[in-house]
Amino acid sequence: MTALAGVFHEPLGVDFSAAFAAGLRERLSDPRPEAVARVTLLVNTNRMGRRIQAAFAEQGATLLPKVRMVSDIVGLLPPGALPPTTHRPLADRLALSQLVRALLERAPTLSPPSAAFDMAGTLMALMTEMQEEAVPPEALAALDLGDMAAHWQTSWQFLQIAMAFAAEAGLAPVAARQEAALALLADRWTTDPPKDPVLIAGSTASRGQTQRLMKLVLTLPQGGVVLPGMDTTMPAAAWTDLTAGEGNLSAPQDHPQYRHAAFLRALGLDRDQCQKWSGTAPRVPERTALLSLALRPAPATNAWQEEGPKLKGVGTACARVTLLHAPTPSTEAAAIALGLRAALDDNKRAALISPDRTLTRQVAAYLGRWNILPDDSAGVPLVQSSPGRFLMLSGQMLGRPVEAEALTILLNHPLCHGAGGRRKHLDRARAMELTLLRKGPCPFPDPQRVTEWANRAGIDPTWVSWLTDALGQMAASTATGPLVQFVSAHQALVAQLSTGSAAAERDPWSAPGGAAALGVLASLVDAAPALGDTPISVGEYTRILHAVLAAEELREPHAPHPDIMIWGALEARARSADLVILGGLNDGIWPAQPEPDPWLNRAMRAQVGLRLPDRVIGLSAHDFQQAASAPEVWLTRAARNAEAETVPSRWLNRLERLLTGLGAAGETAHASMLARGKTWLTQAQALTEPQAKHVQPAAPRPGPKPPATALPATLSVTQIETLIRDPYAIYAQKILQLQSLAPLRQGPDGRVRGSTLHTAMERFTEATGEGLGPTAAATLRQSFADALEQNAPWPAMQRLWLGKFDRILDDLLAAETARRARGQPLRIEEKGRWPMAGLDLTVTARADRLDREGGQIAIYDYKTSIPSEKKQKAFAKQLLFEAVMLTHGAFTGLGHQPVSHVTYLQIGSSYKESQIAITPDILRDTEDGLRALWGAYRAGRPFLARLAPDLITYSGDFDHLSRLGEWGEADAATPQTVGLS
């Protein structure tokens, strides 16, 4: 064997890529540059390969080794050595989803049938893992389930059916082809081994297939394996204990060094027999020793008491470590961004390593303040890109009523009408939003309503035709159907929306990710036959689309900064930096929780020889241990997230507990780490908080006093109630002429329910003007159903409200019969106007119902809930004002009429009545109160904000204008004289 053959390692605390390149140069017996080019190098990531090649180039002009991936064993064979693959992962997953759906329909407690595609993905992952770990399907059949829960019994039975189905249908994961290639490669190398070196670098043998490849390479005359980040300070006894429980559930697979120990044991080697690859020394050996002790397996932490006092150089180990416990994720991100920017000022290369993509995006946003674009290794999931969002927005609108909010978002998307005429399109879309969708209620705009609006507004017919065609395509798509039908309809809709109504000026899909997004739809078209004619819902289609888009990543085409990087944990093996920041160190993030397996539990996995969930934690722990061994390190976390307090990462918790238990040296080192972190936190808080000189003083509670000439000439009786409760709202609405816009996300709120009720009772009263008759109950119910269809187009709410109405129908009809016995309806929804002499004010009203009862008038008002007696006396005086107006002849054709009573009729969850008998005193007091109220405002009373809101939590349309929140309900108002032009 040459100096290249065998198992080697690089210890923690070295730049693995640079050390590997230096070691290879030292070990090659041939000094000529072409000797490097004859080396075949197998790495675990493309980034690792590029970094090693860069390390060679940094050492001088040279040829580079041939770099291959350990996951691409087929690539090590000559072309044509294996027959062409017919494997199509998406089609196979769709085929499996049919089988999974059949299971879920028979056992709905496992998961809803709509999750069939997602669970098919986990089933394919299980099949792939079985191939990688060389676990035959027969091993599943031999499982001893003992007294396991019925769920696992069902899962076990289904897995056997699924394996048989996959074998019969020829569904084979990529790992099966790799396994076939590995067997063929072993035969070839046995008879004709490579004459040049073959080396594997940077892999931890975490997968069975990779481990078998590594063993195969070790049989070659010049075959070698270089393990990354081996802990050489760990005592031999502790190292041996890592694999003492091999093969059972007690094996500490969550330890960072477990994979190395297990691989060496599988080869029959001790750690001492694994040579060091290069002469590169760890940069901070004291820290690697500290981390090694801190991360001992939980049952062995008694070693802290024995070995802790013997640790040397604790101060040196922690001298360049910053510990940052931020109060919030935003503060953590700001502090990290400041640290990265400071590293640039010091001519350092800096890297943020975190699996928390929310944190990394926040850090990138803060760096954007200084025009720093970090080199993000992860890219952006295609589903979060602009084209991906466009596909999801449009796909979600198939087979269901188009909602106003979703349509507005879609029309404003850059790809909508993106081929040309974009500016005019946006003008028309915004006009439709303001004058149709937000005028409401228009929760479900359809072609008819859009066309009617466009005709009134004079909108370009070509644009209207384009939009209504698109809405028609959405409506024409069925709610359920075969996948191929949904994809075809979606492709047609996407083409319609992106092309627009104007002449084409550009290709809207030429933007980054456009071709990839269209490729996803094409791949679904290609794979859809695997699902056959099985009907799926539009919700299932969008879940499938989301899953396929999320599996693709998009790299931004911009040139990032070469010295500021954002890495995933895996990149810590490949690259190094002067400053390494480990962010998001909270449990559940680092390490992340293992993905749940719906098919096999932990004990079942151990029986058949599959990887335990702890393996993922162990790999993450190894990445943490390597990254934390860098020369300068930050360890950061946020003490709480948006929902609750967080739990520190177990590794960070162990390190802190060990330091505080080491006596004065450890406590001093720990305090210094925290102090350095506090310095950055102080700067971060200063960055996120506005400077005092730029802080606007809190607004006082407003009380504008406009001149009498600016006061409104008319007020409705309902606006008078608003004047009593919130005068500022009348000032904004009637004097400033401001109108609130209806929300785009419209729902069946109180106003919709009230308008529905009034429409229903108006229709019923008109239909029964000649008398109630035997069909009165049916007429009353139908009137309410028709009003719901007109005013509340939400099917669920229609059923709910109609059900409530059915419960009170008999009580309402009985009360109506009694009213008809006392008199007859005289006017319905009658409008009235009362010019108040001497006050320059006209009061208007719309009376729900006026009945002639004897020689007097009775006023009725329909309510979904009746205001309390106290509210009627102080605020809700609408009916009393109408009574006053009747006595003054405010209603055309009725003259001056006496009023017997005013009555609220509650038609809601129950039927109730609230009546006030009208007397001359009540009429006089009501009119005098109104005159005094408006006279006070004419004399200069300020229009105070939220004078007497219905509830403290009541939200007014103009609260933001009054800057509510800067002042409180108990604050005194500040009257201000205002001049209006």
Side-chain angles (χ1 to χ4, degrees), residues 130-211:
M130 291 175 66
Q131 287 286 346
E132 291 175 344
E133 302 302 321
V135 175
E138 295 76 20
L140 294 177
L143 271 172
D144 179 15
L145 300 185
D147 57 353
M148 290 186 186
H151 166 83
W152 301 114
Q153 302 277 352
T154 303
S155 173
W156 174 71
Q157 294 171 356
F158 175 75
L159 281 178
Q160 297 179 71
I161 297 172
M163 295 301 169
F165 172 81
E168 182 179 350
L171 307 183
V174 175
R177 184 171 174 82
Q178 297 296 327
E179 193 65 26
L182 183 59
L184 184 57
L185 190 66
D187 291 341
R188 286 176 174 268
W189 282 0
T190 300
T191 57
D192 185 18
K195 298 180 176 59
D196 297 318
V198 178
L199 303 175
I200 296 181
S203 177
T204 58
S206 61
R207 299 175 182 271
Q209 198 170 75
T210 305
Q211 187 176 121

Side-chain angles (χ1 to χ4, degrees), residues 73-386:
I73 305 174
V74 176
L76 298 174
L77 294 171
L82 284 177
T85 180
T86 58
H87 174 65
R88 298 184 301 163
L90 181 55
D92 290 352
R93 184 172 175 182
L94 288 170
L96 277 177
S97 70
Q98 292 191 78
L99 189 68
V100 175
R101 175 186 287 274
L103 166 69
L104 298 181
E105 288 174 349
R106 289 168 175 76
T109 57
L110 297 178
S111 195
S114 60
F117 184 76
D118 295 332
M119 293 193 69
T122 63
L123 184 57
M124 285 195 69
L126 176 60
M127 292 179 175
T128 297
E129 185 179 346
M130 291 175 66
Q131 287 286 346
E132 291 175 344
E133 302 302 321
V135 175
E138 295 76 20
L140 294 177
L143 271 172
D144 179 15
L145 300 185
D147 57 353
M148 290 186 186
H151 166 83
W152 301 114
Q153 302 277 352
T154 303
S155 173
W156 174 71
Q157 294 171 356
F158 175 75
L159 281 178
Q160 297 179 71
I161 297 172
M163 295 301 169
F165 172 81
E168 182 179 350
L171 307 183
V174 175
R177 184 171 174 82
Q178 297 296 327
E179 193 65 26
L182 183 59
L184 184 57
L185 190 66
D187 291 341
R188 286 176 174 268
W189 282 0
T190 300
T191 57
D192 185 18
K195 298 180 176 59
D196 297 318
V198 178
L199 303 175
I200 296 181
S203 177
T204 58
S206 61
R207 299 175 182 271
Q209 198 170 75
T210 305
Q211 187 176 121
R212 292 192 293 278
L213 176 62
M214 294 167 76
K215 290 180 179 179
L216 176 61
V217 167
L218 289 173
T219 64
L220 302 178
Q222 296 190 76
V225 171
V226 184
L227 302 176
M230 182 176 285
D231 185 355
T232 56
T233 64
M234 192 175 183
W239 181 273
T240 303
D241 288 343
L242 289 177
T243 54
E246 187 73 20
N248 59 48
L249 296 178
S250 64
Q253 293 198 25
D254 59 348
H255 190 271
Q257 296 294 313
Y258 173 80
R259 304 314 307 178
H260 287 341
F263 179 62
L264 293 179
R265 175 174 173 171
L267 296 175
L269 298 176
D270 293 330
R271 183 179 51 172
D272 295 340
Q273 296 174 282
C274 183
Q275 307 172 51
K276 196 171 182 299
W277 173 253
S278 73
T280 308
R283 289 161 290 192
V284 191
E286 296 86 356
R287 190 177 317 135
T288 59
L290 176 66
L291 290 170
S292 173
L293 182 57
L295 299 180
R296 289 288 173 84
T301 48
N302 61 321
W304 289 7
Q305 295 178 340
E306 300 171 5
E307 300 177 33
K310 302 175 186 178
L311 273 179
K312 297 180 180 179
V314 174
T316 303
C318 301
R320 301 186 67 190
V321 179
T322 297
L323 182 56
L324 195 151
H325 290 276
T328 65
S330 178
T331 308
E332 180 187 9
I336 292 172
L338 284 168
L340 294 173
R341 185 190 181 195
L344 280 183
D345 294 339
D346 296 336
N347 295 318
K348 296 178 180 178
R349 298 179 73 250
L352 165 63
I353 303 175
S354 178
D356 185 353
R357 293 300 297 162
T358 301
L359 174 65
T360 59
R361 284 194 291 269
Q362 286 180 314
V363 171
Y366 275 113
L367 290 172
R369 291 184 173 190
W370 308 298
N371 295 321
I372 299 173
L373 179 64
D375 182 5
D376 192 340
S377 66
V380 178
L382 186 57
V383 73
Q384 294 180 9
S385 68
S386 177

